[in-house]
Amino acid sequence: MPMPTPTPLTASVITVCFAPGEDADWFAASEKVNDLLRANGTPARRYHVRHRRLIGWLTRFLGYYLLDAARRFGAVTVAAGGRKGRLDLTGTAAKASHYAALRWRAWNTHIAATTRPARPFEDYLAQHHADPTKVSVAEARRRFEQQPRVLAMLALSFDPYELSVYQAGEATYVGLHWRIALIGDALITTDGRLLTPATDSVADRFRFLNEACAYLRGLRSSARLCAVAIA
């Protein structure tokens, strides 16, 4: 199986939601992020753009109801946000699922088949929290990274800090990444609430993403979204 292109490290992404009729330009999204997170950001082109079957031949060349749209051969293909009804959320999730499945299968072939299961970084971090004077963060990281499976992941450009998700199986790994593609790392609701994971654990991340995805599904098609990347 060919090795997939490594996923590059990116800035944190915040999904900002706007109620129908609310001012929803880039400046409004930046202001919400700055108010809640005290951070500045840039537009993140994460969403595929939806083209309806009957009028898609026309709308594919129009950027209305979209934020920071990009074109390919003149047609609008991706955007940092816009009206929910114009964004292809299903296509966005499907593409993320496809590439996540390729990564997991390559990991399964080149890593899981050749190394023993390893303990995730969270286990070593727990040792640090239990006795910070005895186990520093640097020591916890050293112990984690000296495991053969983790070393193999580093050598082949897999993210070792996703180890627990890789070891949980393909469905879990893919499920995490299509949710991340839709939500990012945090979500700001239309009424200004900030949704984030309760802790850094994978379980809490899933809880947050499930809540955020359910919230996204409940928004009307005339609501608007904007993805903001912050360093």
Side-chain angles (χ1 to χ4, degrees):
M1 179 178 293
M3 293 295 293
T5 301
T7 303
L9 295 176
T10 59
S12 296
V13 174
I14 315 301
T15 298
V16 183
C17 304
F18 296 90
E22 185 180 0
D23 287 340
D25 57 18
W26 164 244
F27 297 104
S30 297
E31 189 173 51
K32 285 193 176 190
V33 170
N34 190 266
D35 287 345
L36 290 171
L37 298 170
R38 296 294 184 267
N40 297 316
T42 57
R45 291 171 174 163
R46 295 169 61 84
Y47 303 111
H48 291 276
V49 176
R50 183 183 180 191
H51 300 296
R52 297 182 184 276
R53 183 168 299 176
L54 295 179
I55 62 173
W57 63 273
L58 175 62
T59 60
R60 70 177 59 250
F61 298 105
L62 302 177
Y64 69 93
Y65 294 140
L66 294 173
L67 294 174
D68 197 47
R71 297 176 182 272
R72 181 178 174 83
F73 303 118
V76 177
T77 54
V78 294
R83 188 169 179 168
K84 180 184 171 184
R86 280 224 68 189
L87 302 177
D88 184 3
L89 300 182
T90 300
T92 301
K95 184 174 182 180
S97 295
H98 172 71
Y99 285 109
L102 291 180
R103 287 195 303 277
W104 187 89
R105 291 167 191 172
W107 175 87
N108 192 48
T109 298
H110 299 286
I111 306 295
T114 60
T115 59
R116 290 179 298 176
R119 294 171 62 187
F121 182 58
E122 292 86 350
D123 289 2
Y124 294 92
L125 200 58
Q127 296 176 8
H128 162 71
H129 291 313
D131 191 349
T133 59
K134 182 178 180 181
V135 181
S136 65
V137 173
E139 174 60 17
R141 192 178 304 277
R142 187 195 67 79
R143 293 181 184 183
F144 167 66
E145 292 182 346
Q146 74 178 357
Q147 299 176 100
R149 175 164 289 188
V150 175
L151 288 173
M153 290 179 72
L154 286 168
L156 295 176
S157 298
F158 291 95
D159 183 357
Y161 295 93
E162 287 192 328
L163 175 65
S164 61
V165 194
Y166 274 114
Q167 292 186 155
E170 180 178 356
T172 302
Y173 185 82
V174 170
L176 175 68
H177 280 277
W178 72 252
R179 288 168 172 84
I180 291 173
L182 293 178
I183 304 299
D185 302 286
L187 181 139
I188 298 175
T189 65
T190 58
D191 58 355
R193 291 180 294 119
L194 177 65
L195 305 183
T196 60
T199 70
D200 291 334
S201 74
V202 175
D204 278 336
R205 199 172 187 191
F206 265 115
R207 291 186 185 97
F208 150 69
L209 288 168
N210 287 339
E211 179 186 3
C213 285
Y215 179 84
L216 208 61
R217 283 194 300 270
L219 291 176
R220 295 169 57 184
S221 63
S222 54
R224 301 193 187 187
L225 312 175
C226 182
V228 180
I230 60 174

